[in-house]
Amino acid sequence: MRILGIGYDPWKSLEVVNMLGTAGGWGTLRGLRQTYGHFTAPVESFEHGAKTGRIFINDNPINYYCFGNAVLDIDNLDNCKPVKRRHNQKIDGVITMLMCMRQFIDYERAAGTEQGKTKERIED
């Protein structure tokens, strides 16, 4: 199996990044900032995928818990990101899914422009 990317929150992550890099992950590590601007595209893509049935969330109780604790917060530029309903709740599962979506979006964009090639869209 080839790992294409490992996304992480760069805030206070030096130790884990060094550990993963030393274990051979230097080429795959990618910091994903937890800002409104960086979450907007993945949130919109995730919402669209969930509404159209292209994204399936399994029935693991942790998913229900995390999604139940999350609400979308919108800034004054109409960027959005999930935040906790209450400070003591966990939304790690939601954040992780959106970080994966961010990496997918960026990977698809890079693959489409790699070496001047035009990305072909695959139709269903």
Side-chain angles (χ1 to χ4, degrees), residues 8-117:
Y8 66 91
D9 180 356
W11 189 70
K12 292 188 176 185
S13 62
L14 184 59
E15 185 177 346
V16 73
V17 168
N18 285 334
M19 183 177 60
L20 289 169
T22 302
W26 287 121
T28 59
L29 295 172
R30 179 158 180 265
L32 300 169
R33 296 187 316 173
Q34 308 292 296
T35 62
Y36 286 85
H38 283 90
F39 269 109
T40 300
V43 165
E44 291 171 350
S45 295
F46 192 90
E47 280 183 326
H48 178 73
K51 288 177 182 176
T52 60
R54 293 181 180 259
I55 292 179
F56 173 76
I57 303 168
N58 67 22
D59 60 356
N60 186 316
I62 294 172
N63 289 332
Y64 291 117
Y65 175 75
C66 290
F67 275 92
N69 292 338
V71 294
L72 279 182
D73 190 33
I74 301 172
D75 70 8
N76 58 351
L77 298 174
D78 284 334
N79 294 310
C80 60
K81 78 173 195 172
V83 295
K84 299 174 184 178
R85 288 180 190 271
R86 290 188 288 278
H87 76 281
N88 62 338
Q89 294 179 320
K90 301 292 184 189
I91 62 169
D92 299 60
V94 175
I95 298 298
T96 301
M97 287 184 194
L98 292 172
M99 288 174 70
C100 289
M101 182 63 74
R102 171 85 266 167
Q103 287 208 166
F104 177 75
I105 291 167
D106 292 346
Y107 179 77
E108 286 291 305
R109 186 179 313 134
T113 59
E114 182 180 298
Q115 300 173 355
K117 296 177 185 174

